[in-house]
Amino acid sequence: MSQTERLPRNRTYLMCPPEHFTVEYAINPWMDTAVTVDVALALRQWRLLHETLTGLGHAVHVLTPEPGLPDMVYAANGAFSVDGTVYGARFRHPQRAAEAVAHQGFCRDGRWVFADPQHVNEGEGDFAYLPRAYGGLILAGHGFRTDPAAHAEAQEVLGRPVVSLRLIDPAFYHLDTALAALDDRHVTYYPEAFSPASRRILAQLFPDAVIADRADAEAFGLNLVSDGRHVVLNAEAVGMADKVRAAGYLPILVDLSELKRGGGSVKCAVAELRT
Ligand code: ARG
């Protein structure tokens, strides 16, 4: 594919400002409750990410942050939407359970068909959608958070084939820390985050994927948001920026150092609403 084909598509996103952000529990290896988070800095960095996305012409809705829900800034985990249907989240850890309710409230305005989940799943943390791969394909991660039963449930609710991928490295506990959609049919991923069988499946489905390495993944370089042309990623992920540039995309680096303390970066903070 030539570089001129890397065309952006206007997106609708949902974000939640880190007003109540703290690291007061540790549910992934990145979280250290002994380190104090700089909320003012987290907010400034979040606003820059918000401005970057709106500056690219995308619509960004803002979810009202709630006290007592410090991880609410990771809006990607609250639901997963495809073609106007929202498959709700059901969090693995009780500390985050109430976030699902806030997302559900946002979606109950008539624009969406909301589906209540029976199985544990963490929204776009573990689900990715590629509308032009194989006629519309969902990739789904399991191993740490999302229950594999939720993959089958998502397939029924959303009416798209779901490919289950097993994550094996606790540092990359959500699919969106190990794999990202670069556009409607191309992905980038870090193979070693997946089981050998899942690696074979990814290689079969996406022979032209941009392959990331451990340094890219540790810099949260795979936790990116792309509109098909502009790839917004964590400032630390310079190696990953070079790789996406070489593949014909335009990397835009944003510093999200504070959000990394909670174990997330760009993609975690941005849910895509697909109408
Ligand atoms: N502290 C949050 C958790 O462990 C971080 C979530 C990151 N979000 C994401 N989409 N990967 O649940």
Side-chain angles (χ1 to χ4, degrees), residues 27-28 92-93 120 122 126 143-147 173-174:
I27 56 174
N28 71 57
R92 164 84 43 202
H93 300 287
V120 168
E122 299 199 346
D126 275 322
F144 297 100
R145 298 291 179 89
T146 294
D147 192 324
Y173 57 95
H174 271 147

Side-chain angles (χ1 to χ4, degrees), residues 21 25 27-28 31 71 74-77 91 93 96 122 124-126 145 173-177 220 223 262-265 267-269:
F21 181 51
Y25 50 79
I27 56 174
N28 71 57
M31 299 175 87
D71 274 337
Y74 305 108
N77 301 140
F91 285 85
H93 300 287
R96 300 196 66 188
E122 299 199 346
E124 286 197 322
D126 275 322
R145 298 291 179 89
Y173 57 95
H174 271 147
L175 182 70
D176 73 0
T177 63
F220 272 68
N223 198 245
S265 192
K267 173 59 211 167
C268 302

Side-chain angles (χ1 to χ4, degrees), residues 84-86 104-114 275:
T85 297
V86 178
Q104 182 172 350
F106 177 84
C107 296
R108 287 225 192 271
D109 72 350
R111 263 182 307 172
W112 316 91
V113 176
F114 187 87
T275 43

Side-chain angles (χ1 to χ4, degrees), residues 15-23 37-50 62-67 69-75 256 258-260 269:
M15 294 177 67
C16 181
E19 272 168 40
H20 308 290
F21 181 51
T22 61
V23 178
V37 168
D38 183 340
V39 177
L41 178 58
L43 271 166
R44 282 200 299 281
Q45 294 178 335
W46 182 90
R47 281 194 204 106
L48 208 57
L49 173 61
H50 182 274
V62 174
L63 190 63
T64 309
E66 293 177 24
L69 296 176
D71 274 337
M72 216 176 153
V73 60
Y74 305 108
L256 285 181
E258 286 310 291
L259 290 196
K260 199 180 173 190

